[in-house]
Amino acid sequence: MLKKLTNRWEGYLFVLPAVIFMLALIGYPLIYNIILSFQNVDLANLASGNKSFVGLENYKELLSQGVFGTSVINTIVYTVGSVVFQIAIGFFLAVFFSMKFRFAPFLRGIMMISWLIPLTITALLFKFMMGANEGIFNQFLMTWGIIEDPIAWLSSPKIALWSIIIANIWVGIPFNMLLLSTGLSSLPEDVYESASLDGANWFHKLIHITIPLLKPVLLVVMMLGFIYTFKVFDLVFVMTGGGPINSTEVLSTLAYRYSFNEFQFSLGAAAANVLFLILFVVSLIYLSMIRKDEVN
Amino acid sequence: MSKKREWTLNIIGTFIVLLFLFPVYWMIITAFKTQSEIFQSPPTLWPKDFRIQSFIQIFQDNVWQYFLNSLAISGLATILVLILAVPSAYGLARFNVRGKKMMILLFLVTQMLPATVVLTPLFIVFDQFSLLNSYWGPVLSCATLGVPFSVLILRTFFIGIPRELEEAAKIDGCGRFKAFIQVIIPVSLPSIVVCGAISFFFSWGDLIFSMTFNRNQDLWPLTAGIYNAIGRYGIEWNTLMAFATISVLPVIIIFILLQKHLVKGLVSGSVK
C-alpha cells in the first residue's frame, strides 16, 4: 500500500511539468481567448485593464462583415481541395513505392523534403514560380503550347486561392504518402495471393481489396489532413496576404489581421474562436475514431 | 521480381522524385543566376552565368544575425521540449497517476490547435510578464508544438521497454530517478534524438510567433527576416532565393543525417 502511494507521488514528479507547461501556455490562453471575445479590448485599453463586457457584440460585428463569410468559405474550399488531392496523389505514390524495388525506401524518404521546408520559404518559392512573366509555371505552359496567354496565378481573384491550394498539395503529398504506405504495409498478403490465383489483375486488386481494406486508414488520414489544413496561416499570409480583394482570406489570416493590423483584439479573438470551434468538433470526431487503441 | 522490371521501377521512381523536387532545385539554381537571366525566355535550367553574388549580398545584409536567431530560438525550444517531454512520457508509460487518460487527451488535443487561437492571449500575457521583444516569447510558444508530439511518440516507445531493465538497476541500488537517467535515457537515445529533431524543425519553420512577439528585428529568425525581405528586395529573385536556400540548408542536412529514424518517428507520432 505504502509502496503504491510513493509510486504514484513519484509519478507526478515525472508527468506534471509538461502538463503544467501545456496548461499554462495553451489551456489558459484558450480560455482567455473566449473571455476576450466577450470583452471590448483594443490597443487603447489593453494596458489600462479597463475592459468592458460586451456580450455577443463582437460576434455580431464579425457576422455583419462580408469578409467573414468569404473567409469561412475560402477556408473550407482550401481544406477540402487540398486534402482530396493530397490523399489521391499520396495514395497512388504510396501504391507505387510499396512495390518492392531497390531504391523505393530511399526515394520515398527523400520526398519528405517538401514537408520539412518552412512554409514561409515554400510560399515564397511558389510565389516566384507563379510569377506572371518570369514564373516557370507560365514559361513551361506557354512553351509547351498548353496556354497562350500567361495565367495570373496570384493576382486574379478567381484563381489565387487555387494557386495556394496547389502549393499546399505539394507540401502535403509526401506526408500523406508516408501514412498511407504504413497502412499498405500492414495489409495481409495472403488475400492478394488468393486473388492472384483467382486471376484478378492489378486494377481489380486495387479496387476490390486495397481500397476497402485501407478504408479505416484513409479515414484517419483524411481527418488528420482536415485538422492540419484548416488552420492554414503561413502559406496564405506570405503568398497573397489574403488578397486580391479578400479572395484568399481564410479564418486564421482574418483573425490575425483584426488583432495585429487593426489592433481590435476582441474581434480577432472572436474570429479565432470560430476557427477553434470548427476544429474542436472535428478533433472530437477524430479522437473518438482513434481512441480505442490510444488511451489505455 | 525480374531484373528488367526492377530497373524500370527504379527509373520511373527516380523520375517521379526529380519532378516532385523540381521546385527545390529551382530555388537553389535561381540563387546562382543573374537578375537578367531570371527574366529571360525560355528559362535556363542551368545558369549560363554562374554567380555567387546573391549570397555575398545577403551575408552583407546581416543574414548571419537571422541565422543565429533561428538557431538560438529553435535550439532553446528543443532543449525545453526534451526536458519537459522525456520525463512526462516516461511517467505516463510507467506510473499509474490519476487522470492519466485526461492528460494523454490533453496532449492529443493541444497538438491539433491552431496558433491563431492562442496568439492574442499569449501576446497579452507575454506583455504582462515583459517577455515581448526577447527570445522567450518565441521559445516558449514554439516549445508547445514539440511537447505534445514528443510525449506521445516517446510514451509509446517507453511502453515497449521491458520493465526488468529498471528493476535490475534497482537491485543494484538505484532509485527510480537514477534508473531513469542512467538506464532508460541511454537506451532510448535514438528516439529522443528523433523527437528533438522534429521539435527543432517545428521551431525552425515558425513565422507567426516570432513575428508577433518580437518587434525588435535584431531578434527575428530567418523566416521573419525573409518575409520582411520580400518587400526589401522586391523582384530580385536571385537574392530572395539565396536567402531561402540558406534557410532550408540546416533542416535538409539534419534530415539527411537522420533520414531513416525520422521517417519512422514521424509515422508513429502522427498516426497514434
Side-chain angles (χ1 to χ4, degrees):
Chain A
M1 179 71 194
L2 191 69
K3 193 172 170 240
K4 226 180 174 180
L5 268 178
T6 48
N7 236 347
R8 189 172 269 176
W9 179 80
E10 267 183 328
Y12 289 116
L13 276 185
F14 280 97
V15 174
L16 282 183
V19 173
I20 292 168
F21 178 80
M22 290 308 286
L23 284 177
L25 276 129
I26 300 291
Y28 173 71
L30 208 62
I31 294 164
Y32 195 172
N33 206 52
I34 295 170
I35 297 170
L36 209 56
S37 71
F38 294 117
Q39 290 178 328
N40 184 16
V41 180
D42 53 27
L43 199 60
N45 63 11
L46 178 66
S48 71
N50 176 25
K51 295 154 194 158
S52 52
F53 183 77
V54 294
L56 289 170
E57 276 311 310
N58 289 311
Y59 291 94
K60 277 186 200 153
E61 196 185 330
L62 192 65
L63 286 171
S64 74
Q65 311 260 337
V67 62
F68 173 72
T70 313
S71 69
V72 173
I73 293 168
N74 284 344
T75 314
I76 293 171
V77 171
Y78 176 85
T79 307
V80 174
S82 300
V83 171
V84 165
F85 286 102
Q86 281 172 352
I87 293 184
I89 301 172
F91 175 75
F92 280 102
L93 288 177
V95 171
F96 177 79
F97 284 110
S98 71
M99 292 189 274
K100 293 176 179 59
F101 54 98
R102 188 146 174 225
F103 294 156
F106 170 75
L107 290 172
R108 195 169 54 193
I110 209 96
M111 280 178 78
M112 287 307 292
I113 285 177
S114 85
W115 185 81
L116 282 173
I117 295 177
L119 282 173
T120 312
I121 312 289
T122 307
L124 179 73
L125 179 55
F126 272 80
K127 203 174 160 152
F128 170 50
M129 294 195 298
M130 287 171 168
N133 300 313
E134 76 277 22
I136 188 81
F137 277 30
N138 280 346
Q139 292 267 13
F140 272 157
L141 291 174
M142 284 164 77
T143 314
W144 294 335
I146 297 170
I147 54 167
E148 282 190 9
D149 300 309
I151 296 174
W153 294 99
L154 294 169
S155 50
S156 156
K158 281 189 191 141
I159 303 172
L161 186 64
W162 283 95
S163 303
I164 306 175
I165 292 174
I166 291 173
N168 189 45
I169 292 170
W170 184 74
V171 175
I173 285 173
F175 199 68
N176 280 277
M177 174 185 69
L178 201 64
L179 297 183
L180 292 170
S181 295
T182 317
L184 282 174
S185 65
S186 64
L187 299 184
E189 265 180 47
D190 49 338
V191 186
Y192 287 95
E193 275 158 26
S194 61
S196 297
L197 289 179
D198 291 343
N201 65 24
W202 179 85
F203 186 72
H204 279 133
K205 284 190 250 178
L206 186 71
I207 297 295
H208 296 293
I209 306 176
T210 309
I211 293 179
L213 280 179
L214 209 62
K215 219 167 111 190
V217 181
L218 280 169
L219 217 58
V220 166
V221 173
M222 209 173 73
M223 301 293 282
L224 261 182
F226 188 94
I227 292 166
Y228 286 120
T229 313
F230 206 75
K231 53 187 181 185
V232 54
F233 176 80
D234 311 45
L235 269 187
V236 177
F237 190 73
V238 179
M239 283 178 84
T240 62
I245 21 177
N246 297 332
S247 61
T248 59
E249 195 81 84
V250 288
L251 276 167
S252 61
T253 53
L254 183 70
Y256 187 85
R257 204 153 56 85
Y258 282 142
S259 283
F260 296 100
N261 290 349
E262 302 176 12
F263 300 109
Q264 294 178 289
F265 293 114
S266 289
L267 203 57
N273 279 334
V274 175
L275 174 65
F276 170 60
L277 190 71
I278 300 171
L279 270 179
F280 187 68
V281 172
V282 179
S283 300
L284 284 185
I285 302 172
Y286 169 71
L287 288 176
S288 69
M289 277 167 51
I290 61 160
R291 201 168 171 169
K292 282 165 224 121
D293 37 290
E294 172 56 22
V295 186
N296 50 28
Chain B
M1 205 184 296
S2 73
K3 242 202 169 124
K4 197 178 156 199
R5 186 159 173 249
E6 157 110 32
W7 270 110
T8 318
L9 288 175
N10 278 329
I11 291 166
I12 297 174
T14 310
F15 180 73
I16 291 174
V17 172
L18 287 178
L19 192 71
F20 183 78
L21 290 181
F22 177 78
V24 182
Y25 170 76
W26 199 238
M27 169 180 76
I28 298 169
I29 219 66
T30 303
F32 291 105
K33 286 183 180 178
T34 61
Q35 186 71 2
S36 60
E37 194 176 343
I38 293 171
F39 287 91
Q40 184 183 310
S41 180
T44 47
L45 289 178
W46 181 258
K48 274 186 301 191
D49 198 3
F50 200 91
R51 296 278 183 88
I52 54 164
Q53 198 55 43
S54 319
F55 289 94
I56 295 173
Q57 187 184 340
I58 56 168
F59 278 101
Q60 281 167 349
D61 286 357
N62 219 8
V63 86
W64 266 122
Q65 186 62 48
Y66 294 136
F67 195 89
L68 292 177
N69 290 338
S70 276
L71 269 186
I73 293 170
S74 310
L76 287 170
T78 304
I79 293 169
L80 186 60
V81 167
L82 293 181
I83 289 175
L84 291 167
V86 177
S88 190
Y90 179 73
L92 287 172
R94 279 290 192 270
F95 294 94
N96 246 328
V97 288
R98 206 183 289 265
K100 189 161 121 182
K101 283 185 184 182
M102 281 305 291
M103 291 181 201
I104 294 169
L105 216 58
L106 170 87
F107 289 122
L108 264 170
V109 172
T110 47
Q111 212 182 354
M112 297 169 184
L113 287 177
T116 337
V117 176
V118 293
L119 199 66
T120 311
L122 278 181
F123 179 80
I124 297 173
V125 173
F126 287 160
D127 188 28
Q128 282 162 353
F129 285 89
S130 301
L131 293 173
L132 293 182
N133 299 323
S134 74
Y135 280 144
W136 289 110
V139 167
L140 289 171
S141 42
C142 284
T144 63
L145 307 172
V147 166
F149 187 89
S150 304
V151 169
L152 295 174
I153 294 192
L154 288 173
R155 190 182 88 96
T156 319
F157 180 82
F158 287 140
I159 289 174
I161 299 179
R163 275 170 192 273
E164 287 78 21
L165 220 60
E166 294 122 284
E167 267 147 30
K170 267 185 177 170
I171 292 167
D172 291 344
C174 278
R176 256 289 185 197
F177 197 71
K178 212 171 164 195
F180 168 67
I181 300 280
Q182 293 188 341
V183 178
I184 296 296
I185 289 189
V187 169
S188 46
L189 211 53
S191 299
I192 294 175
V193 170
V194 165
C195 286
I198 292 170
S199 304
F200 189 87
F201 295 153
F202 285 160
S203 312
W204 193 265
D206 164 64
L207 170 70
I208 190 167
F209 288 133
S210 303
M211 199 177 58
T212 311
F213 301 145
N214 276 337
R215 297 290 168 205
N216 181 356
Q217 290 198 16
D218 291 341
L219 299 175
W220 275 354
L222 285 160
T223 46
I226 202 167
Y227 177 71
N228 186 46
I230 295 173
R232 183 149 34 97
Y233 294 123
I235 49 169
E236 280 179 39
W237 287 113
N238 46 0
T239 320
L240 283 170
M241 290 302 123
F243 207 139
T245 304
I246 294 290
S247 313
V248 169
L249 222 53
V251 277
I252 293 189
I253 291 172
I254 297 179
F255 178 73
I256 290 171
L257 290 176
L258 298 175
Q259 197 201 347
K260 249 191 201 156
H261 304 282
L262 271 174
V263 172
K264 248 190 252 161
L266 276 173
V267 172
S268 69
S270 323
V271 189
K272 278 280 165 175

